Amino acid sequence: MRILIKNVILKKRKVDILVEGEKISKIGKNLNLKANEKIDGKGEKAAIPGLINCHTHSAMILFRGLAEDLPLKDWLKKEIWPREQKLTQDNVYWGTKLAILEMIKSGTTTFNEMYWFEEAQIQAAKEMGIRAKIGLVILDFLPMGQKEKVEKLFYKITKSLITDSQITLTIAPHAIYTVSKENLIWAKNFAKKHKLLIHMHLSETENEVLECLKKYKMRPVEFLNKIGFLDKNCIFAHSVWLSEKEIEILEKRGCSLVYNPTSNMKLASGIFPWKKIRKRKINVCLGTDGPASNNSLNLFSEMKIGAILQKIENKDPTVISAKEIFEMATRNGAKALRINAGEIKVGKLADLVLINLNKVEMFPNCDLISNLVYSDPKNCVSDVICNGKILMRDGKIEGEEKILKIANLKNENFGN
Amino acid sequence: MRILIKNVILKKRKVDILVEGEKISKIGKNLNLKANEKIDGKGEKAAIPGLINCHTHSAMILFRGLAEDLPLKDWLKKEIWPREQKLTQDNVYWGTKLAILEMIKSGTTTFNEMYWFEEAQIQAAKEMGIRAKIGLVILDFLPMGQKEKVEKLFYKITKSLITDSQITLTIAPHAIYTVSKENLIWAKNFAKKHKLLIHMHLSETENEVLECLKKYKMRPVEFLNKIGFLDKNCIFAHSVWLSEKEIEILEKRGCSLVYNPTSNMKLASGIFPWKKIRKRKINVCLGTDGPASNNSLNLFSEMKIGAILQKIENKDPTVISAKEIFEMATRNGAKALRINAGEIKVGKLADLVLINLNKVEMFPNCDLISNLVYSDPKNCVSDVICNGKILMRDGKIEGEEKILKIANLKNENFGN
C-alpha cells in the first residue's frame, strides 16, 4: 500500500510525501511515483504529525454532561462509579468508537487508554484504524480489576494481538488510593516481566497526597520510589501535587508525566507545576482525560488551555511557548508511549494529519504552530492518516453516520 | 420577508419558529405557514439564541500569531501599536470581514467593537449582515482618536445609519491610562447628549491600577466615580483588578462588566473576580477580546475557558455553572448592549443559531447547555440567522471563499 501526498506545506516548504506500508518512505519535491492512493494538498494544506493523547478514558463519553460542577471525589463516588457498575462490553465498544470518531476528527492518531472492557476497546480501535495503548486496569474494589483476572486477560489478548502493530497493552493500576501496595508491586513485576509500560493516575488531588501521608507516612512519589515502582516505563497522569523532592525523584527515574489541564481545572483538582518541571529533564506529554470530565477529546483545545493556564498561574506569558505545548502533544507523547512517531520524517510511522490552511482560523498564516495551538483549528483538520492508512479524507470518516446513528439508538443503555 | 424554521429543538421540545421581518413572530407546533425561506431541522437541530461578543477588536485578526508570549505592555507598545500605525481603511475593512466570518461560523450574531477606521468596520458589518455596536475610539496619542475628529465622524456616520437598525455607535474611550481626565469627561457628556453606550477597558492589569493610584491617588473605579463617569450605560471590558469597594460602586451605578478569560490568561493580566461579583447584582457578559490576544473569536471556547478558570481559581467546581456562563454570552450581553435579543421568544429579534445535534460533540444529548459550554461544539453550528436574515445555511456563508481569497492576496499589507 502506497499513499502519495502531493503539494503539502511541511515546515514552510511545499513538498510531496510518500507513505509505503506503515511508514513515511520519502519526502521531497515533485515526487511523481505510483501509488494506490493520492491526496493533493494543492499548496493549501499543511502536514503535521498526528496528535497523541497520553491519558484518557474514552468510553466515558457515554457520561458526558451527566454530572457537572462537582468535586472529583463526589463526581467519582456519587455519579460515575455507580453508573460504571452497569456498563456492558457493548456499551464500552460503542462508547470507544464514538470517542475515536471525535479523536480522529480533531487530528489525534494515538491514544493512551485506561478503562474497563479492554477487549471491546481493542475491537473499536481496530475497526477505526487508530493507534492505541490499551491499559489493563487494576482496581482493588472492582471484580474485573483483580490481578488474577488481569493476568488471564493479558494472555488472552496478547494472543489475539500477535499480528497487530498498532494496538499494544499497558498495565494500568488506577491509583495509589485504589490499589494496595501488594497489588502495585505485583503490577510492577508483571510489567517488567512482559516489558509493558505502566499507566497510572498520580497525585491528581491534594487529598490523595494527604491520605498517602496518613497511610504510608510518605508522599505518593516517595512511596512509589520506596517500593521500587518508578522507572522510565511509567507514565503518570495528572501529577499535580508534587514537591520539589518528588519532582527530583521523577526526573532521576526517567518517568513521563501527562499534563491534563482541562480536567484539572474543571474538577478544581489543582495546577500542574510546569514551571518547576520545565527546569528538569522530565518528559511531559498531554492528555484530555476522559470526556466526562473535560468534556472534549480535542487536543488542540487542550494545548491552548494548557498554555494559557501556565501563563496566568505563573503571572508570566513567557513561561510556556506554543512550540513547547505542541511538542507535548506530539514528540513527547511518542517518546512516552515508545512509538516511532510524533514527527514527520523519513522512517517514522505514517501517523499524520493534513490541515486545511484555507480556513479563517489559519489566517494570517505567519505562524502555523501558533495558529494550531491558539486559534481553535479543530475544523481545519481535513485528512488523517494512521499507520499508513487514510482514516479521514476531506473531513469524512467512513461509516461515521452509522456510528452516530447506532450510538443514538442505544442511548438509553448508556447510563442516561 | 418570512422564514419558517421547522422541527427544531427548543428547551427540549420540538417546535416550529416563524420569523417575520426582524423578529420572531410565532413559536409552536406544526406551523404550516407560507414563507420566503424554509429551514427544516428534522428534529436533529436545536435552536439557541445567537451569541453576543461584548468586547473585541475585530480587525486585529490581521495580527494573529504575529507576537506571542509577551506581557500586555510589551505586546501593545512593541508589537501592536507600531503595526497599527501602518493600518489603512482597506486593511481594517478586510480584517473586519474576516473576523465576522469567524464569528458567524462560531454562532455569534452580535459584537461590541472597539477599533479604528470605524466606517470600514460598518461597511464590513453591513455586508456580512451581523449586528454590531461600533465604538468611536478616543485615544489621546492617536491623531484620529482626538475628540474633534470623533465628534465629526459621529455626525457623519449617524447620518448614514439613519435607516439601519442593526448597527449603532458607542463611545469608546480606550482606557484611563490613554485618555486624559478632561477627555473622559468630554466623552461622558457626549455619550449622555446622544444617548450612547460607553465601551471602555477597565483595570485590565495591576499596573493600570498602580499608575492610577499614583496619578489620581485613587483606584480606577473610584476615580471614574468621582468624575461622574459611571452609570448603567457603561460597559467595562476586563475589570480584573477590582477592590470590594470598587465592586460595590459598580453595582450601585449599574455598570455592565465583560469577562475576557482567554486574553487575561494569555497575557497573564489577572483573573476576573467572579466569586465576589456573583454575590452582587452586576450584569456580567462575555467577550473574546481581539483575535490577536486570544487568538480566536469563538465564544463557545470562551465559555468553557471562562467556566473552568473560575473553578480552579476558587478551588470550587460549583462556583460557576454552565448555565451561568451561557447566560453571560446571550441574555446578559443583550442587556448590556440594549438589544432585544439573547433569548428565543416571540417578539424578540430573530438572532438565532441552529446547532446540529447529529455530531459527536453533542453526544449524549442529555444536557444541551453543558454540551454547548464544554464539548467544543463550534463545528456543530449549522445555520445562523441575524435580524431576520439567514447569514449561514448548513455551514455555508455566501461569498466566504472570496473573502478568504482576497484577504490572502492582501496578506502582505496586513502587517506581516
Side-chain angles (χ1 to χ4, degrees):
Chain A
M1 175 76 175
R2 286 156 66 111
I3 306 170
L4 183 60
I5 307 167
K6 296 285 294 176
N7 304 307
V8 287
I9 311 298
L10 180 65
K11 293 178 183 167
K12 299 195 173 183
R13 288 173 57 224
K14 187 153 77 172
V15 298
D16 300 341
I17 299 172
L18 182 71
V19 171
E20 284 186 290
E22 298 170 357
K23 291 187 178 171
I24 296 166
S25 65
K26 277 198 179 76
I27 299 175
K29 293 256 173 201
N30 307 314
L31 300 182
N32 291 312
L33 302 157
K34 277 191 182 169
N36 310 75
E37 298 266 7
K38 259 192 194 179
I39 297 175
D40 192 347
K42 294 176 184 168
E44 290 178 353
K45 291 181 180 181
I48 63 165
L51 305 181
I52 297 171
N53 191 344
C54 274
H55 176 63
T56 188
H57 317 283
S58 300
M60 289 185 83
I61 200 168
L62 307 174
F63 306 134
R64 172 153 69 186
L66 282 175
E68 302 291 10
D69 308 328
L70 295 169
L72 178 65
K73 213 169 174 175
D74 291 348
W75 180 74
L76 275 177
K77 292 196 175 172
K78 292 183 190 164
E79 300 289 343
I80 298 302
W81 287 345
R83 285 192 171 89
E84 284 180 337
Q85 303 296 326
K86 296 179 200 160
L87 278 180
T88 66
Q89 191 96 8
D90 187 59
N91 295 157
V92 170
Y93 168 75
W94 284 105
T96 309
K97 284 199 85 144
L98 272 170
I100 296 171
L101 194 64
E102 190 169 332
M103 287 192 245
I104 297 171
K105 289 237 156 189
S106 50
T108 295
T109 51
T110 299
F111 68 109
N112 189 29
E113 176 69 22
M114 183 197 284
Y115 211 58
W116 299 277
F117 296 110
E118 293 84 348
E119 289 170 288
Q121 299 160 24
I122 290 170
Q123 181 67 19
K126 274 190 178 184
E127 288 173 13
M128 301 295 289
I130 199 166
R131 192 179 303 284
K133 295 275 173 186
I134 304 292
L136 297 168
V137 180
I138 299 174
L139 191 60
D140 290 354
F141 68 77
L142 196 78
M144 56 183 144
Q146 304 302 306
K147 55 179 182 287
E148 297 76 14
K149 295 221 171 168
V150 169
E151 188 165 6
K152 214 169 140 191
L153 191 62
F154 170 77
Y155 291 114
K156 187 179 167 202
I157 295 179
T158 301
K159 214 183 266 178
S160 76
L161 287 179
I162 281 176
T163 57
D164 199 307
S165 66
Q166 272 183 270
I167 296 167
T168 48
L169 295 175
T170 72
I171 284 291
H174 176 265
I176 60 164
Y177 59 95
T178 44
V179 182
S180 69
K181 182 174 153 184
E182 181 206 335
N183 288 346
L184 286 171
I185 294 171
W186 178 85
K188 180 71 204 172
N189 290 332
F190 192 80
K192 206 180 263 178
K193 183 173 161 194
H194 297 285
K195 296 197 175 79
L196 301 173
L197 297 174
I198 291 181
H199 177 195
M200 188 166 110
H201 295 105
L202 176 71
S203 299
E204 180 174 2
T205 64
E206 193 174 18
N207 202 42
E208 180 180 338
V209 177
L210 297 175
E211 280 182 9
C212 181
L213 281 165
K214 209 165 146 189
K215 192 170 169 188
Y216 297 116
K217 317 283 173 231
M218 281 172 281
R219 294 179 66 91
V221 175
E222 294 163 2
F223 162 68
L224 290 170
N225 194 37
K226 197 171 170 214
I227 64 170
F229 195 87
L230 303 177
D231 63 24
K232 59 185 175 29
N233 297 313
C234 293
I235 300 160
F236 291 120
H238 303 293
S239 309
V240 167
W241 294 89
L242 301 174
S243 69
E244 281 284 4
K245 189 179 159 197
E246 286 180 292
I247 293 172
E248 206 181 305
I249 296 171
L250 290 166
E251 180 186 30
K252 204 170 142 192
R253 299 289 176 210
C255 306
S256 286
L257 307 184
V258 189
Y259 181 26
N260 295 99
T262 305
S263 167
N264 296 157
M265 291 174 83
K266 187 157 182 279
L267 296 166
S269 309
I271 298 175
F272 183 75
W274 166 249
K275 199 177 174 180
K276 289 181 198 163
I277 286 169
R278 190 190 196 192
K279 291 179 217 150
R280 308 276 184 164
K281 279 186 188 138
I282 294 180
N283 185 47
V284 178
C285 22
L286 200 67
T288 58
D289 205 355
S293 64
N294 183 310
N295 305 354
S296 163
L297 288 152
N298 175 9
L299 278 171
F300 292 109
S301 162
E302 206 64 30
M303 288 193 267
K304 177 169 188 170
I305 292 171
I308 64 176
L309 174 63
Q310 292 301 331
K311 289 170 194 287
I312 187 68
E313 166 69 1
N314 295 291
K315 297 184 182 63
D316 177 5
T318 70
V319 77
I320 191 163
S321 68
K323 189 169 171 277
E324 276 173 307
I325 199 116
F326 186 74
E327 291 203 337
M328 287 186 197
T330 51
R331 200 190 305 215
N332 301 4
K335 189 178 169 194
L337 301 181
R338 307 280 165 76
I339 49 176
N340 180 27
E343 288 174 276
I344 299 184
K345 277 187 181 170
V346 170
K348 291 273 172 188
L349 286 166
D351 290 6
L352 51 90
V353 168
L354 301 189
I355 299 289
N356 185 349
L357 299 173
N358 205 17
K359 293 262 183 185
V360 66
E361 289 84 355
M362 289 294 129
F363 186 92
N365 182 20
C366 61
D367 186 340
L368 177 66
I369 298 297
S370 168
N371 284 347
L372 292 172
V373 171
Y374 294 123
S375 302
D376 188 22
K378 181 170 74 172
N379 59 319
C380 305
V381 173
S382 70
D383 308 83
V384 177
I385 293 170
C386 180
N387 208 46
K389 294 210 177 78
I390 301 172
L391 308 189
M392 181 161 98
R393 192 156 188 158
D394 270 328
K396 297 266 174 271
I397 297 173
E398 220 184 288
E400 64 182 295
E401 290 83 5
K402 194 182 152 195
I403 296 170
L404 281 167
K405 200 172 166 184
I406 297 179
N408 272 315
L409 285 174
K410 297 203 170 204
N411 202 3
E412 55 208 83
N413 303 325
F414 281 6
N416 288 356
Chain B
M1 176 74 175
R2 285 156 66 110
I3 305 169
L4 183 61
I5 307 168
K6 296 285 295 176
N7 305 308
V8 287
I9 310 298
L10 179 65
K11 294 180 182 165
K12 300 197 172 181
R13 288 171 56 224
K14 187 153 77 172
V15 297
D16 299 341
I17 299 172
L18 182 71
V19 171
E20 284 186 290
E22 298 170 357
K23 290 187 178 171
I24 296 166
S25 65
K26 277 199 180 73
I27 299 175
K29 292 258 172 198
N30 307 314
L31 300 182
N32 290 313
L33 302 157
K34 278 191 179 166
N36 310 76
E37 296 267 7
K38 258 193 195 178
I39 296 176
D40 192 347
K42 295 177 184 169
E44 288 177 354
K45 291 182 180 181
I48 63 165
L51 304 181
I52 298 171
N53 190 343
C54 274
H55 177 63
T56 188
H57 317 285
S58 300
M60 290 184 81
I61 200 168
L62 307 173
F63 306 134
R64 172 153 68 185
L66 281 174
E68 302 290 9
D69 308 327
L70 295 169
L72 178 65
K73 214 169 173 173
D74 291 348
W75 180 74
L76 274 177
K77 292 196 175 171
K78 293 182 190 164
E79 300 289 342
I80 298 301
W81 288 344
R83 286 192 170 89
E84 285 181 337
Q85 304 294 328
K86 297 178 201 160
L87 277 181
T88 66
Q89 192 96 7
D90 187 59
N91 295 156
V92 170
Y93 167 74
W94 284 105
T96 309
K97 285 199 85 145
L98 272 169
I100 296 172
L101 194 64
E102 190 170 331
M103 286 193 247
I104 296 172
K105 289 237 156 190
S106 49
T108 295
T109 52
T110 299
F111 67 108
N112 189 30
E113 176 69 23
M114 183 197 282
Y115 211 59
W116 299 277
F117 297 110
E118 294 84 348
E119 289 170 287
Q121 298 161 24
I122 290 170
Q123 182 67 19
K126 274 190 179 184
E127 288 173 13
M128 301 296 288
I130 199 166
R131 192 179 302 285
K133 295 275 174 185
I134 304 293
L136 296 168
V137 180
I138 300 174
L139 191 60
D140 289 355
F141 68 77
L142 197 78
M144 58 183 142
Q146 303 302 305
K147 56 180 181 288
E148 298 76 16
K149 295 221 172 169
V150 170
E151 188 165 6
K152 214 169 141 190
L153 191 61
F154 170 78
Y155 291 114
K156 186 179 169 204
I157 295 179
T158 302
K159 215 183 264 178
S160 77
L161 287 180
I162 281 176
T163 57
D164 199 308
S165 66
Q166 270 183 272
I167 296 168
T168 48
L169 297 176
T170 71
I171 284 291
H174 176 265
I176 60 164
Y177 60 94
T178 44
V179 182
S180 69
K181 183 173 152 183
E182 181 205 335
N183 288 345
L184 286 171
I185 293 171
W186 177 85
K188 180 72 205 171
N189 290 332
F190 192 79
K192 207 181 263 179
K193 183 174 163 193
H194 297 286
K195 295 197 175 76
L196 301 172
L197 296 175
I198 291 181
H199 178 195
M200 188 166 111
H201 295 105
L202 175 71
S203 298
E204 180 174 1
T205 63
E206 192 174 17
N207 202 42
E208 181 181 337
V209 178
L210 296 176
E211 281 182 8
C212 181
L213 280 166
K214 210 165 147 188
K215 193 170 170 189
Y216 297 117
K217 317 283 174 232
M218 280 173 282
R219 295 179 66 91
V221 175
E222 295 163 1
F223 162 67
L224 290 171
N225 194 36
K226 196 170 171 214
I227 64 170
F229 194 86
L230 304 177
D231 63 25
K232 58 186 174 31
N233 297 313
C234 294
I235 301 161
F236 291 120
H238 302 293
S239 309
V240 167
W241 295 88
L242 301 174
S243 68
E244 281 283 3
K245 190 179 158 194
E246 286 179 291
I247 293 173
E248 207 180 303
I249 297 171
L250 291 165
E251 181 187 28
K252 204 169 140 188
R253 299 290 177 211
C255 306
S256 286
L257 307 183
V258 190
Y259 182 27
N260 295 99
T262 304
S263 167
N264 297 157
M265 290 173 82
K266 189 157 180 279
L267 295 166
S269 309
I271 298 175
F272 183 75
W274 165 248
K275 200 178 173 179
K276 289 181 196 164
I277 286 169
R278 190 190 196 191
K279 292 179 217 152
R280 309 276 185 166
K281 279 184 189 141
I282 294 180
N283 185 47
V284 178
C285 22
L286 201 67
T288 57
D289 205 356
S293 64
N294 182 308
N295 302 354
S296 163
L297 288 153
N298 175 9
L299 278 170
F300 291 109
S301 161
E302 207 64 31
M303 287 193 266
K304 178 170 186 168
I305 291 171
I308 64 176
L309 175 62
Q310 292 300 332
K311 289 171 194 286
I312 188 68
E313 167 68 1
N314 294 292
K315 298 183 183 64
D316 177 5
T318 70
V319 77
I320 192 163
S321 67
K323 190 168 170 278
E324 276 173 307
I325 200 115
F326 187 74
E327 291 203 336
M328 286 186 197
T330 52
R331 200 190 306 215
N332 302 2
K335 190 179 168 193
L337 301 181
R338 306 280 165 77
I339 49 175
N340 181 27
E343 288 174 276
I344 299 183
K345 276 187 183 171
V346 170
K348 291 273 173 188
L349 286 166
D351 290 7
L352 50 91
V353 168
L354 302 189
I355 300 289
N356 186 347
L357 299 173
N358 206 18
K359 292 263 184 184
V360 66
E361 290 83 356
M362 289 293 129
F363 187 92
N365 181 21
C366 60
D367 186 341
L368 177 66
I369 298 296
S370 167
N371 284 347
L372 291 171
V373 171
Y374 295 122
S375 302
D376 188 22
K378 180 170 74 173
N379 59 319
C380 305
V381 173
S382 68
D383 308 82
V384 177
I385 293 171
C386 180
N387 208 46
K389 293 208 179 82
I390 301 172
L391 308 189
M392 181 162 97
R393 192 155 186 159
D394 271 329
K396 298 266 174 270
I397 297 174
E398 220 184 288
E400 65 182 294
E401 291 82 5
K402 195 182 153 195
I403 296 171
L404 281 168
K405 201 172 165 184
I406 297 179
N408 272 316
L409 285 174
K410 297 201 169 203
N411 201 3
E412 54 209 82
N413 302 325
F414 283 3
N416 289 356

